[in-house]
Amino acid sequence: MRTDTPWSALPARDHLLAGEVDAAGAPVLDVVVPVYNEEKDLEPCVLRLHDHLVRTFPYAFRITVADNASTDRTPEVARRLARTLPGVRSYRLEEKGRGRALRTVWSHSDAPVLAYMDVDLSTDLNALLPLVAPLISGHSDLAIGSRLARSSRVVRGTKREFISRAYNIILRSSLAARFSDAQCGFKAIRREVAQRLLPMVEDTGWFFDTELLVLAERAGLRIHEVPVDWVDDPDSTVHIVRTATEDLKGVWRVGRALAVGALPLDRLARPFGDDPRDRGIGGVPRGLARQLVGFCVVGALSTLFYLALYSLFRLGVGPQLANGGALLVSAVANTSANRRLTFGVRGRGGAVRHQAQGLVVFAIGLALTSGSLAALGAASGSPSHSTELAVLIAANLAATVLRFLLFRAWVFPDRDRSGDRGSDRGDDRSGDATRPSAGPDGATHHELRNAR
């Protein structure tokens, strides 16, 4: 999805300097503790967390109790803690939802690093400084505690262990997630990342964490993982079945949104040069590696589709007609998939022209494969079906190489080489990558940083 906002890229990550942050009067870290009817556990949690931060955390901090619609004495306990402990505040919401509580508090916080942890403090607090240190240093954008890392030490029942691992397998298989633990209640994020990411997260409950991480990972943000020591709370009030059902609905919703390109993830891009992998290499066209990977994936699926169609058509017609029909259907599907997934063209503009050009490419492939079948028939008379398939695979490999070259140079040329490509491509970041991106009033990020 194209975005016309001047905030089209995040600023480069900077190391947070303690003196500068303290002089501004804002804490470096804001730890949010979302609670619902936790009158018994809230006070010991905050006292223990506050004591730990006072003794071990080298920067200014704040603890925010986010009470989301508690009906017991939790709001009273939170207000009392805010009055008696320095650096503690309470925040009351009238609607339930852990995601809603975190979104609200993080959106209004002035701390450059935002974190949260569950009120039961199942995670050992010694992991808190390693969690936020990469965000303070500018190394990472988000950080999560992982109970599934090899070096983590976890005490919990078999049922919860199975559910946690099964859920992460679902995320890896359906959303291609690479982070190891989505639901551990121990996470942190840089504020400028949260400001861009939170408006894209729809969930207000337990799936909030997963959605946040999936979108961040898909946008190319850096997620740091910390192995944690974790002891299960036997008195947890989480309804496992209902939570699992809502999570699966969230997986479907996010997967569908990613598949159709409905999320403006380009808003989360880091500026050119912030990541060493972004630095240009002379003589290598931009996007070539990504396009090759996408083309190979689409090509492999298209080949399987083509062979299945050929085998189906071959039951009723001769090899030449079966080959032509299968190649025609798979060529239309292949052009559509490459248009969107490989070359990043969004919208309907130019779609008919692209399909027409794709059919020309198809005709070349048809000539190669039909010629191969004709040569096989002339050489062996009545070849077996497996021999026909082997020859077609070899001919398709040759046609595939030619197809990629024609797609890249003629059907979907790079905008830098073709001036009429602007209306077809949804991603508007192919300009001078070394130029600093503009801020809200036209100032560059470099100028904005110097003005602070």
Side-chain angles (χ1 to χ4, degrees):
M1 177 182 294
R2 182 170 178 169
T3 57
D4 295 322
T5 170
W7 290 95
S8 59
L10 284 163
R13 290 184 295 257
D14 292 325
H15 194 298
L16 302 175
L17 303 179
E20 292 181 4
V21 177
D22 291 342
V28 172
L29 174 67
D30 192 349
V31 183
V32 181
V33 182
V35 291
Y36 173 72
N37 289 346
E38 298 286 357
E39 61 179 4
K40 183 179 73 171
D41 293 334
L42 178 57
E43 184 169 0
C45 161
V46 173
L47 290 174
R48 181 180 161 198
L49 175 59
H50 188 272
D51 177 68
H52 177 82
L53 289 170
V54 168
R55 290 186 296 104
T56 65
F57 194 68
Y59 294 87
F61 67 86
R62 178 194 297 134
I63 300 172
T64 301
V65 179
D67 170 33
N68 44 312
S70 292
T71 57
D72 62 0
R73 294 180 56 253
T74 297
E76 178 184 336
V77 175
R79 288 192 296 268
R80 185 175 72 248
L81 290 168
R83 288 194 305 268
T84 57
L85 287 177
V88 176
R89 70 172 180 175
S90 63
Y91 201 105
R92 168 75 177 180
L93 292 89
E94 298 303 329
E95 294 181 271
K96 290 178 60 177
R98 181 180 69 172
R100 178 179 288 108
L102 291 175
R103 182 204 308 277
T104 302
V105 176
W106 281 357
S107 297
H108 292 86
S109 179
D110 55 354
V113 176
L114 311 168
Y116 95 89
M117 61 182 60
D118 292 335
V119 69
D120 56 17
L121 293 186
S122 295
T123 305
D124 182 16
L125 291 178
N126 286 326
L128 181 56
L129 184 56
L131 181 80
V132 301
L135 308 187
I136 294 173
S137 70
H139 175 272
S140 301
D141 299 293
L142 299 91
I144 65 173
S146 175
R147 299 162 296 183
L148 302 181
R150 287 183 177 274
S151 55
S152 298
R153 295 184 295 180
V154 177
V155 178
R156 61 176 165 180
T158 304
K159 180 180 179 181
R160 285 181 176 270
E161 179 76 12
F162 172 78
I163 292 174
S164 179
R165 292 188 178 275
Y167 180 61
N168 280 281
I169 290 175
I170 291 173
L171 293 182
R172 288 176 178 270
S173 59
S174 61
L175 299 179
R178 296 188 298 273
F179 47 85
S180 66
D181 192 351
Q183 292 287 28
C184 181
F186 196 69
K187 295 183 176 68
I189 186 172
R190 285 177 67 102
R191 184 181 62 189
E192 73 270 15
V193 176
Q195 288 173 343
R196 311 289 177 81
L197 193 54
L198 291 178
M200 303 182 198
V201 179
E202 293 185 18
D203 192 80
T204 59
W206 291 96
F207 186 69
F208 173 88
D209 301 53
T210 302
E211 188 169 356
L212 186 82
L213 291 172
V214 169
L215 298 186
E217 187 175 74
R218 286 300 185 94
L221 299 182
R222 181 173 290 166
I223 301 174
H224 178 71
E225 295 199 16
V226 178
V228 297
D229 298 341
W230 195 86
V231 179
D232 189 21
D233 178 14
D235 299 324
S236 174
T237 58
V238 177
H239 193 288
I240 296 178
V241 176
R242 183 170 62 243
T243 301
T245 301
E246 293 301 318
D247 285 347
L248 291 177
K249 291 180 180 178
V251 169
W252 168 255
R253 175 176 55 78
V254 172
R256 183 176 57 184
L258 291 172
V260 301
L263 296 167
L265 298 181
D266 58 309
R267 292 183 182 177
L268 301 174
R270 286 291 181 186
F272 186 86
D274 184 61
D275 189 327
R277 292 172 299 179
D278 293 336
R279 294 168 190 163
I281 301 175
V284 179
R286 288 201 309 273
L288 177 60
R290 180 188 61 77
Q291 289 177 356
L292 279 172
V293 172
F295 185 81
C296 288
V297 172
V298 171
L301 295 176
S302 297
T303 300
L304 293 175
F305 182 49
Y306 159 76
L307 292 175
L309 287 175
Y310 176 81
S311 298
L312 179 63
F313 294 162
R314 190 68 176 84
L315 296 176
V317 298
Q320 293 291 358
L321 285 177
N323 174 61
L327 200 57
L328 177 61
V329 175
S330 61
V332 173
N334 180 278
T335 300
S336 298
N338 276 308
R339 180 178 188 270
R340 183 175 190 85
L341 302 178
T342 303
F343 298 97
V345 180
R346 300 288 188 267
R348 297 180 180 178
V352 175
R353 173 170 57 85
H354 293 154
Q355 282 293 351
Q357 292 172 310
L359 289 178
V360 174
V361 178
F362 148 76
I364 298 174
L366 178 63
L368 283 173
T369 54
S370 297
S372 300
L373 282 175
L376 177 65
S380 58
S382 271
S384 65
H385 181 62
S386 58
T387 303
E388 287 181 353
L389 288 180
V391 170
L392 286 174
I393 291 173
N396 262 292
L397 288 175
T400 296
V401 175
L402 182 60
R403 186 184 305 123
F404 177 76
L405 296 175
L406 289 174
F407 272 176
R408 182 175 170 83
W410 180 47
V411 183
F412 308 110
D414 188 273
R415 265 199 321 187
D416 291 343
R417 299 192 304 266
S418 178
D420 63 349
R421 297 282 296 116
S423 60
D424 293 336
R425 204 177 284 275
D427 189 346
D428 197 31
R429 288 180 287 145
S430 61
D432 184 2
T434 60
R435 187 175 59 247
S437 55
D441 297 316
T444 66
H445 289 301
H446 177 71
E447 293 166 347
L448 290 173
R449 284 198 299 271
N450 289 340
R452 291 193 185 111

